[in-house]
Amino acid sequence: MTTAKEIMHTGVTWIPAHETLDRAAQLMREHKVGALPISAEGDQDRMIGILTDRDIVVDCVAMGKDPSKVTAGDLAQGTPRWIDAGAEVEDVLHEMQDHRIRRLPVVENKRLIGMISEADLAQHLSDDQIAGWAEKVYSRN
């Protein structure tokens, strides 16, 4: 049985809700990632959302907004999805497919310890598993 913890990558960098999107983009570049979990004001361990590079482009830049004035918290929407570190890979796939998400935070003892991305799936899963996942996540239905 392969678990979420075994396929995730570690070293997740948080962005506080009050930080601006230009700072978020700098952090993404520095850490070579496309997403950052957003922490609640005053509670570094509570995730209120995930900010992606696409969010910055589509919901800020393309809307004519200034990334130095819009905060990560401004773009935090909905309830963040996550998975327990001990969850089986099939559970990871179902969570990502059911919610059509490409990145999934991994939590252990109520603390964020890693993230699972498309690249992580590609390195650890069979071609058939990847194809099934991609079909469900990327379909327009």
Side-chain angles (χ1 to χ4, degrees):
M1 166 181 95
T2 304
T3 65
K5 189 173 185 174
E6 293 171 317
I7 67 169
M8 72 178 194
H9 61 270
T10 59
V12 177
T13 301
W14 290 84
I15 184 139
H18 70 270
E19 281 288 354
T20 59
L21 299 186
D22 59 341
R23 179 65 184 136
Q26 292 165 359
L27 285 170
M28 288 178 187
R29 183 189 63 226
E30 289 169 18
H31 294 280
K32 297 180 176 133
V33 297
L36 300 169
I38 305 168
S39 64
E41 291 297 330
D43 188 354
Q44 178 68 28
D45 291 329
R46 190 168 72 90
M47 183 173 54
I48 61 167
I50 295 179
L51 178 67
T52 67
D53 46 8
R54 185 177 190 280
D55 294 332
I56 295 170
V57 172
V58 173
D59 296 334
C60 179
V61 176
M63 300 298 289
K65 298 176 183 174
D66 183 350
S68 68
K69 299 205 179 348
V70 178
T71 68
D74 292 337
L75 296 189
Q77 300 174 14
T79 301
R81 307 303 308 178
W82 55 270
I83 195 127
D84 186 78
E88 294 184 32
V89 169
E90 288 301 318
D91 296 327
V92 170
L93 294 175
H94 287 297
E95 183 70 17
M96 294 174 86
Q97 290 166 347
D98 291 350
H99 298 282
R100 299 183 73 184
I101 55 178
R102 297 173 185 100
R103 297 169 182 99
L104 185 62
V106 179
V107 174
E108 186 174 60
N109 298 322
K110 298 183 180 182
R111 299 188 72 87
L112 180 67
I113 61 165
M115 186 86 70
I116 297 173
S117 68
E118 293 169 274
D120 299 314
L121 295 178
Q123 290 177 351
H124 294 93
L125 303 179
S126 71
D127 290 346
D128 288 341
Q129 286 175 305
I130 296 293
W133 175 85
E135 181 180 338
K136 290 178 181 168
V137 170
Y138 288 107
S139 71
R140 295 188 183 241
N141 299 337

